[in-house]
């Protein structure tokens, strides 16, 4: 049976939660998919690797088992490089094989996820040269000095450059893991994991990241302007043909260009914006579901409920109950 192979690198001074959190979330996504998508289910093979292939003792006194050494990274599809307590420089120096193995794995097609100061290992390998990255805010200045060829984006919690992700915090790591679960097992599994692990309501991964090359991937400036307008006027749109006319486009051309630029139809885009706005109101206000439906642009509570369940796999009322428990318990 094919497997999705995921490696997590271990070393001294490791931040334990940047290891345990992604493992627990990934296993939760895997368990959900196994129950609901048996025909297309692909299991995960998650392993921990170290410099010597021997167990690693963490700063908290815990010992973590290891399955192999860093030279085996080329066998994996995804590699998570956890964060480091305090100054990362001694840890980078004491684990010289890791940077080399990360470079080899990446060149053979692996996707790399660097967490906090663990991003130093990706920078050390030189695969980040000329690319964007982020790191823990406390180490940002030193990172820029140590790796001047990396385009550091300290104002972003997440960056993505093709198959290289970097995250600045554990919350951002959780968002990337939810994104990966969506890639592996679909939106339903991703929503399930997010609802059970997130301790606050967060924006979708796609809205938080700095996506390198995003302008090149979507260079239609007029459609970008329309997206901005739709996001700010989703509650008052009665006809997309009127929107097309407002921007001096035929409806046919509008639909074709929107789908080509964004990968989704304008109708689906507006629907997603309205659901996101409804989610925020459900979590932060006491408005009735009927009032929320009308506020974000749906014609009725039932229309919102159908669309919400289709996209979020639960009703607005159950979503409100879950998120308000998380926010106010």
């Amino acid at each position: 049976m094919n497997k999705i192979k995921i490696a997590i690198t271990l070393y001294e001074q490791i931040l334990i939660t940047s290891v345990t959190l992604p493992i627990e979330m990934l296993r939760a996504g895997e368990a959900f998919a196994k129950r609901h998508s048996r025909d297309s289910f692909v299991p995960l093979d998650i392993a921990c690797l170290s410099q010597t292939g021997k167990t690693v003792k963490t700063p908290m006194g815990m010992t973590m088992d290891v399955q192999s050494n860093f030279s085996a990274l080329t066998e994996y599809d995804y590699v998570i490089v956890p964060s480091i307590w305090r100054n990362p420089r001694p840890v980078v120096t004491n684990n010289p094989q890791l940077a080399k193995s990360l470079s080899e794995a990446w060149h053979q097609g692996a996707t790399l996820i660097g967490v906090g100061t663990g991003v130093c290992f990706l920078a050390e390998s030189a695969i980040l040269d000329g690319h964007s990255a982020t790191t823990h805010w406390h180490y940002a200045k030193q990172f820029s000095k140590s790796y001047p060829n990396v385009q550091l984006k300290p104002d972003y919690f997440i960056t993505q450059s093709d198959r290289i992700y970097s995250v600045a915090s554990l919350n951002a790591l959780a968002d990337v893991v939810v994104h990966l679960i969506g890639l592996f097992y679909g939106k339903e599994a991703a929503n399930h994991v997010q609802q059970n692990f997130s301790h606050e309501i967060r924006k979708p991964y796609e809205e938080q990241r700095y996506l390198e090359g995003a302008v090149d991937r979507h260079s239609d400036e007029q459609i970008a302007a329309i997206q901005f307008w739709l996001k700010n006027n989703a509650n008052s749109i009665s006809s997309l043909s009127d929107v097309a006319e407002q921007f001096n486009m035929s409806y046919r051309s509008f639909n074709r260009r929107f789908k080509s630029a964004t990968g989704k139809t304008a109708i689906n885009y507006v629907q997603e914006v309205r659901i996101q706005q409804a989610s925020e109101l459900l979590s932060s206000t006491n408005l009735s579901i009927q009032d929320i439906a009308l506020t974000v642009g749906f014609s009725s509570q039932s229309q919102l409920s159908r669309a919400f369940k289709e996209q979020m796999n639960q009703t607005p009322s159950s979503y409100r109950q879950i998120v308000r428990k998380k926010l106010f318990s």
Side-chain angles (χ1 to χ4, degrees):
M1 179 184 290
N2 291 332
K3 294 183 178 181
I4 301 169
K5 302 193 68 177
I6 302 172
I8 301 178
T9 60
L10 303 185
Y11 23 77
E12 67 276 20
Q13 296 301 120
I14 199 168
L15 181 63
I16 303 173
T17 44
S18 62
V19 177
T20 58
L21 179 65
I23 292 176
E24 290 175 340
M25 294 180 73
L26 288 164
R27 289 301 187 196
E30 178 188 40
F32 182 90
K34 188 175 183 179
R35 290 196 305 272
H36 294 85
S37 307
R38 293 183 179 180
D39 293 340
S40 58
F41 172 70
V42 180
L44 301 178
D45 177 4
I46 303 176
C48 293
L49 283 65
S50 70
Q51 175 81 11
T52 62
K54 298 179 181 179
T55 58
V56 171
K57 190 172 184 179
T58 72
M60 302 296 108
M62 297 172 59
T63 300
M64 305 188 77
D65 289 337
V66 170
Q67 283 70 53
S68 188
N69 59 39
F70 292 148
S71 62
L73 285 176
T74 54
E75 302 171 12
Y76 290 85
D77 306 306
Y78 294 83
V79 181
I80 298 174
V81 185
S83 194
I84 303 165
W85 275 106
R86 302 184 178 89
N87 182 8
R89 295 311 307 169
V91 180
V92 172
T93 301
N94 291 338
N95 293 267
Q97 179 63 37
L98 181 50
K100 180 176 181 292
S101 295
L102 286 171
S103 177
E104 292 172 350
W106 185 77
H107 281 99
Q108 291 194 30
T111 295
L112 310 181
I113 301 101
V115 185
T117 48
V119 177
C120 290
F121 281 111
L122 275 65
E124 197 75 19
S125 72
I127 60 175
L128 273 178
D129 285 0
H131 295 283
S132 58
T134 190
T135 189
H136 191 278
W137 65 269
H138 186 72
Y139 196 71
K141 288 185 179 179
Q142 184 57 50
F143 186 97
S144 292
K145 292 179 182 177
S146 299
Y147 307 107
N149 294 327
V150 179
Q151 298 173 8
L152 190 65
K153 304 291 182 181
D155 295 333
Y156 285 84
F157 284 101
I158 301 170
T159 69
Q160 181 186 349
S161 176
D162 193 18
R163 289 180 288 105
I164 306 173
Y165 296 76
S166 67
V167 301
S169 69
L170 286 175
N171 278 335
L173 173 60
D175 293 328
V176 169
V177 173
V178 167
H179 168 68
L180 294 177
I181 291 169
L183 296 179
F184 300 160
Y185 299 124
K187 183 180 291 187
E188 191 175 353
N191 286 340
H192 170 78
V193 173
Q194 184 176 40
Q195 291 157 18
N196 283 278
F197 281 84
S198 293
H199 298 293
E200 73 273 8
I201 310 308
R202 297 184 58 80
K203 293 180 180 179
Y205 160 82
E206 287 80 7
E207 293 185 16
Q208 297 183 74
R209 65 183 174 180
Y210 175 85
L211 178 59
E212 186 174 291
V215 174
D216 294 332
R217 298 181 191 187
H218 177 1
S219 57
D220 194 325
E221 294 183 4
Q222 189 174 17
I223 294 299
I226 293 173
Q227 281 182 271
F228 181 81
W229 188 91
L230 291 175
K231 186 170 287 190
N232 287 281
N233 296 276
N235 63 334
S236 60
I237 297 168
S238 58
S239 168
L240 285 174
S241 60
D242 290 343
V243 175
E245 184 178 349
Q246 178 180 326
F247 284 87
N248 299 315
M249 299 173 67
S250 71
Y251 186 53
R252 182 177 179 180
S253 177
F254 166 69
N255 278 328
R256 177 182 55 78
R257 285 174 59 180
F258 198 98
K259 179 71 179 292
S260 176
T262 67
K264 62 186 71 174
T265 66
I267 292 174
N268 287 340
Y269 180 79
V270 172
Q271 190 94 310
E272 289 178 5
V273 170
R274 287 174 173 171
I275 294 298
Q276 179 62 31
Q277 292 173 350
S279 300
E280 293 171 359
L281 291 173
L282 286 165
S283 66
S284 62
T285 76
N286 291 319
L287 289 172
S288 69
I289 295 176
Q290 171 72 7
D291 287 340
I292 290 174
L294 298 177
T295 298
V296 302
F298 289 100
S299 61
S300 65
Q301 177 176 333
S302 61
Q303 189 184 44
L304 167 62
S305 296
R306 284 194 300 271
F308 199 95
K309 190 166 185 179
E310 182 179 342
Q311 185 167 319
M312 304 293 286
N313 197 39
Q314 60 185 320
T315 64
S317 57
S318 62
Y319 176 84
R320 168 175 267 174
Q321 186 177 18
I322 291 170
V323 298
R324 288 175 74 85
K325 278 183 180 178
K326 291 178 182 177
L327 286 170
F328 303 115
S329 60

